[in-house]
């Protein structure tokens, strides 16, 4: 009986992990990974720079976000998808964390429209606006370049960036606000 319960638990856990997983990034059609500057295919104005780990992404608010703008601050990035129930369950808490973040901390999130099962950009923007979150910036990575560069294979996944703009840690799975703040404090 215990073996049957253990097997059922393993199958259930595998199902949850699969529900929020995404296929690993393989680079572009030529197999190229990110170089110094790699513009996305859908918008040549968007770029991610590997050297120095700077990125430039547009938010759903229309603003352009550069990692280099936050030099001297700790940055938390949450990679998520609208089809991921675990991601959606944590959005309200993350929105509140973004509102109340310490002055030396920035909370951002990244979604990849038209990539790995995500909605189109316009559909996503409309859907997200209806949720009513006001404090959490959502950056668009339309070709999944940043997501691929950071090795994101499941949603949600978190990246922690120190004051120098260096990606210190990328971690899969949901994190509570207290855990996020603790890891940021230890950067």
């Amino acid at each position: 009986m215990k073996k049957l319960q253990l097997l059922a638990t393993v199958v259930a856990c595998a199902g949850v992990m699969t529900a929020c997983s995404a296929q690993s990034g393989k680079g572009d059609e030529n197999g190229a990974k990110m170089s110094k500057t790699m513009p996305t295919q859908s918008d040549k104005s968007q770029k991610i720079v590997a050297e120095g780990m700077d990125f430039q992404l547009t938010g759903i608010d229309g603003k352009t976000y550069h990692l280099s703008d936050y030099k001297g601050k700790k940055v938390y990035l949450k990679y998520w998808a609208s089809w991921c129930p675990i991601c959606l369950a944590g959005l309200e808490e993350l929105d509140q964390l973004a509102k109340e973040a310490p002055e030396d901390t920035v909370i951002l999130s990244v979604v990849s429209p038209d990539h790995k099962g995500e909605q189109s950009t316009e559909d996503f923007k409309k859907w997200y606006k209806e949720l009513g979150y006001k404090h959490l910036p959502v950056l668009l990575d339309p070709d999944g370049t940043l997501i691929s560069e950071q090795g994101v294979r499941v949603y949600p996944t978190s990246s922690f960036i120190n004051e120098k703009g260096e990606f210190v840690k990328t971690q899969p799975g949901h994190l509570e606000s207290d855990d996020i703040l603790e890891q940021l404090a230890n950067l």
Side-chain angles (χ1 to χ4, degrees):
M1 184 68 169
K2 288 187 177 191
K3 288 182 180 178
L4 185 57
Q5 289 175 328
L6 179 60
L7 179 61
T9 302
V10 168
V11 169
C13 289
V16 169
M17 293 296 286
T18 302
C20 287
S21 68
Q23 300 171 2
S24 64
K26 300 194 184 331
D28 66 14
E29 54 272 5
N30 299 319
K33 286 294 185 180
M34 186 168 33
S35 61
K36 274 190 177 179
T37 303
M38 182 179 191
T40 62
Q41 293 171 355
S42 64
D43 182 355
K44 297 295 183 192
S45 69
Q46 299 220 3
K47 66 179 177 177
I48 298 172
V49 182
E51 189 175 289
M53 291 311 299
D54 197 9
F55 63 70
Q56 173 184 311
L57 295 172
T58 302
I60 62 171
D61 57 7
K63 296 178 184 175
T64 301
Y65 292 79
H66 300 263
L67 180 58
S68 58
D69 291 343
Y70 305 113
K71 195 163 188 165
K73 294 189 177 206
K74 299 172 184 177
V75 179
Y76 170 75
L77 287 178
K78 178 179 182 173
Y79 307 94
W80 63 284
S82 65
W83 49 260
C84 169
I86 295 171
C87 302
L88 299 180
L91 281 180
E92 184 175 349
E93 182 180 15
L94 194 61
D95 186 60
Q96 190 65 29
L97 180 61
K99 178 181 178 185
E100 299 171 355
E103 283 201 31
D104 70 339
T105 302
V106 176
I107 309 295
L108 303 171
S109 69
V110 178
V111 174
S112 189
D114 293 316
H115 191 256
K116 296 183 182 182
E118 185 55 78
Q119 306 176 56
S120 70
T121 299
E122 291 310 312
D123 289 344
F124 178 84
K125 285 180 179 181
K126 180 180 176 186
W127 170 83
Y128 187 78
K129 183 178 181 181
E130 291 174 5
L131 296 178
Y133 297 119
K134 304 284 186 213
H135 309 289
L136 178 64
V138 180
L139 314 185
L140 302 174
D141 183 15
D143 292 326
T145 307
L146 180 61
I147 288 171
S148 293
E149 177 63 22
Q150 292 306 306
V152 175
R153 291 187 173 84
V154 298
Y155 295 118
T157 292
S158 300
S159 282
F160 295 89
I161 304 162
N162 67 19
E163 297 94 336
K164 298 175 189 174
E166 301 166 332
F167 281 76
V168 175
K169 180 178 184 179
T170 297
Q171 175 180 335
H174 173 73
L175 295 173
E176 301 288 329
S177 291
D178 291 342
D179 296 326
I180 294 167
L181 290 171
E182 181 180 335
Q183 290 194 45
L184 286 166
N186 292 326
L187 290 181

